[in-house]
Every structure is written in structure tokens, then in C-alpha cells.
Amino acid sequence: MLTLRRWLSITTLLMVTSIAIVFIAMLFGSEVLRPLDTLNSLISFIRGHSGSETGLTILFNLRLPRILLALVVGGSLAVTGGIFQTILKNPLADPYLLGISGGAALGVIISLFSNININIYGFTSTTFMAFTGALLTLFIVYRLSRVNNKISPQTMLMMGVMVNAVIFAIIMFFTSVVNSNQMFRVFFWLLGYLSSPDYVSLTVISLLSLAGMVIILYHARLLNVLTLDDDTAQSLGINLESVRRRIFIAGALLITAGVSVCGPIGFIGIMVPHAVRLLIGIDYRLLIPVSFVGGGILLIAADAVARSIISPAEIPVGIITSLAGAPFFIYLMRKKRLV
């Protein structure tokens, strides 16, 4: 049961953990920073004093925007996975199975290859194409799944898998006709890669994620009801198709926030929501924000490893999330004696 005391205790724990993870992540990279020096630089900056120019550049131009991007992207992926698993009644559902991530990725690929260059208040052509690809894919899957004016979650999931296969075949076609330098760049991006964005781009990505989060949090109580079977939900007067449509659009916004800049990063959307459910239960008023922070923390930690393990070179963060996520998920399942 969600009480004020429980909400405050979990929120406080999350805030402390998040701050600690962000600070630790700021220390690692091609140049390892000393904790005390980093803390002094942060305090000096907050007080308006100038510190080491090199240190401030590393902290505020390279590492902090990248860490904040990881927080937004990881959080968005985790929340999207959690809500899709609920409305599709499938514990393995996530944006990748439905083809939404693939659609966004195809939009980005087309944007890169067509050399379209649009920038309106920080909304670049890549962001536009990612969102267009995600929404168009969602529309196609939705229409193909509609039988006798009804949408079956199982049918929608199967259609998503098929559409996703077609999309990745098209992506592979694009990558096979480019030169080796372009192919290496695209291949690296498709594995899931974080870089240091400028603060304008970071703001745009954060706004997209915020818009999706507001819609989902508004539907948190309905998501609690949707954990029951469809007949029970409809007997309570809930228009399932309307709710699903709004949730899918919110999911497209969240996915666009991540894929448009980082590529499709796997596993977070499946692992984090399940781990959070095991730890705090299935009340979506708490599960949604906790999943967001949990996904963000996981991606921040994974990115710190990705840019440190073979420093000064970096590896795609998607490799780390896949390698680290599966053992952690198995540990939680065994601890709860669910397997």
C-alpha cells in the first residue's frame, strides 16, 4: 500500500543513490579525476568561483551532459518497457518487440543518409525523423492488429515482431550500400552509443521525455486497473483502446528521446521494470518514477564502464547493458524464489 511515509523513504533513498552514482560517474573516463578535487571544483563552481579550466571543461562540457543524457535515456527506456508489459499483458514486451525503437532507428538512418539538415530551436532533423519513424511504425502495427474493431494484445505483439523484422531488414540494406567509414559509424550507433550532447540538444531530449512522462503519470491509476484482465477493466467503464492509444503515443515520445541520439539500447526496458516490481510492488504511482530513476542509474553506471574499461577507447554502452543486466535479473529472480 502506498503511504506518504513509504513514498518519502523510497524517494529519499533514490535521490541519495542518484547523486552518489552521478558523482562517481563523473570521476571516470579517459582521465580519472580525484574525488576531492572534483568535489572542490563543483563547490567552487556553485559559489561562482573559477577553478581549473581543464577540470571544469571535463566536468561540465563532457561528462555532466553525457551523464544527464544517460539518466534521461535510461529512465525513458525503463518506463516504456514497464507500461508496455502491462497493457500488452506480456512480461517480455518492450519497445523493441513492437518495432517502435526500430522505426525510430530507421527514421534516424534515413535522416543521416539523406543529408537533411533541419534545426528549429534545437529540434534537429534526426529528432523529427526518429519521432516520425516511431509514430508511423506504431500506426502500422496498430492498424494491422485491428480485427473486427478490436485490438488483441497478443496480435499486436506478433505484428510488432513482424514489422520490426522488416524494419531491420531495411536498416541492414542501408548499411550494406554505404562505404566502410559510414558503415562503422552506423554500426556503432546501432549497438547503442552515448556521447556528450550540447545543452540545447539535451534540453530538447529532456522535453520529449518529460512530455511522455506527464502523460504516463496522468494514467498511473488506470495502469493499476489494467493489471487486471480486460473484462474487469471494461466493466469499470475504462475505454481500453483509447487508453492504449494514449499510452503508445507517450511511449513513442519516450523512445524518440533515446533512440534519436543514442541508438537502440537494449535490455533496460525489460530488466528494470521487473526488478522494480520485485522490490516495491506494482502500484504504478510509485513504480513509474522509481523505474525512471532505476533505468537512469543503470545506464549511467553502464556508460561509466563503457568509457573506462579500455580507456582511452570506448565501447558501445549497449554491450555493457546486455552483459550486466541479465545476471542481475537472474539474481533477483533467484532471491525471490521465482525460478
Side-chain angles (χ1 to χ4, degrees), residues 83 86-87 216 219-227 284 288:
I83 59 173
T86 298
I87 58 178
I216 291 171
H219 292 86
R221 289 181 183 275
L222 286 176
L223 284 167
N224 284 342
V225 178
L226 291 180
T227 56
Y284 278 82
I288 292 170

Side-chain angles (χ1 to χ4, degrees), residues 66-335:
R66 182 166 175 160
I67 291 168
L68 293 177
L69 178 66
L71 177 65
V72 173
V73 172
S76 299
L77 292 173
V79 169
T80 310
I83 59 173
F84 281 9
Q85 285 150 23
T86 298
I87 58 178
L88 293 176
K89 315 288 187 190
N90 190 311
L92 295 179
D94 80 340
Y96 298 91
L97 284 179
L98 281 175
I100 298 175
S101 294
L106 180 58
V108 173
I109 294 289
I110 292 173
S111 173
L112 292 175
F113 282 86
S114 60
N115 291 321
I116 299 173
N117 191 14
I118 302 172
N119 192 329
I120 304 174
Y121 298 111
F123 286 85
T124 64
S125 53
T126 301
T127 309
F128 280 120
M129 291 298 286
F131 187 59
T132 302
L135 273 187
L136 188 58
T137 304
L138 181 58
F139 176 76
I140 292 171
V141 173
Y142 193 83
R143 293 297 299 175
L144 290 175
S145 308
R146 194 181 180 91
V147 179
N148 296 327
N149 291 323
K150 290 185 178 179
I151 299 291
S152 162
Q154 289 74 22
T155 303
M156 192 167 186
L157 201 59
M158 291 177 63
M159 289 299 173
V161 172
M162 295 300 106
V163 171
N164 196 37
V166 173
I167 287 172
F168 271 94
I170 298 173
I171 290 175
M172 290 301 105
F173 168 76
F174 275 109
T175 57
S176 65
V177 297
V178 299
N179 61 48
S180 57
N181 289 334
Q182 286 177 313
M183 189 166 72
F184 180 77
R185 178 186 172 195
V186 172
F187 181 71
F188 216 66
W189 181 82
L190 286 173
L191 289 176
Y193 177 70
L194 284 171
S195 59
S196 300
D198 58 69
Y199 282 100
V200 174
S201 300
L202 182 61
T203 302
V204 171
I205 300 305
S206 301
L207 287 174
L208 286 173
S209 178
L210 179 63
M213 283 293 293
V214 168
I215 296 173
I216 291 171
L217 285 170
Y218 177 77
H219 292 86
R221 289 181 183 275
L222 286 176
L223 284 167
N224 284 342
V225 178
L226 291 180
T227 56
L228 308 172
D229 60 84
D230 286 1
D231 290 338
T232 304
Q234 286 177 324
S235 69
L236 295 173
I238 296 175
N239 186 334
L240 289 179
E241 194 165 335
S242 174
V243 172
R244 283 176 181 147
R245 191 183 305 124
R246 281 174 274 166
I247 295 295
F248 281 134
I249 291 174
L253 285 168
L254 289 169
I255 291 304
T256 301
V259 177
S260 63
V261 290
C262 306
I265 299 174
F267 208 73
I268 292 178
I270 289 181
M271 187 202 72
V272 174
H274 285 296
V276 173
R277 286 191 194 98
L278 291 174
L279 293 171
I280 67 166
I282 57 171
D283 191 328
Y284 278 82
R285 293 171 297 174
L286 190 58
L287 190 143
I288 292 170
V290 173
S291 293
F292 187 91
V293 176
I297 288 175
L298 176 62
L299 194 53
I300 289 171
D303 183 53
V305 174
R307 56 188 160 85
S308 305
I309 193 169
I310 55 171
S311 178
E314 297 182 10
I315 60 176
V317 70
I319 295 175
I320 303 298
T321 58
S322 297
L323 288 175
F328 179 67
F329 180 63
I330 292 171
Y331 163 75
L332 281 178
M333 295 290 284
R334 295 292 300 175
K335 187 177 180 182

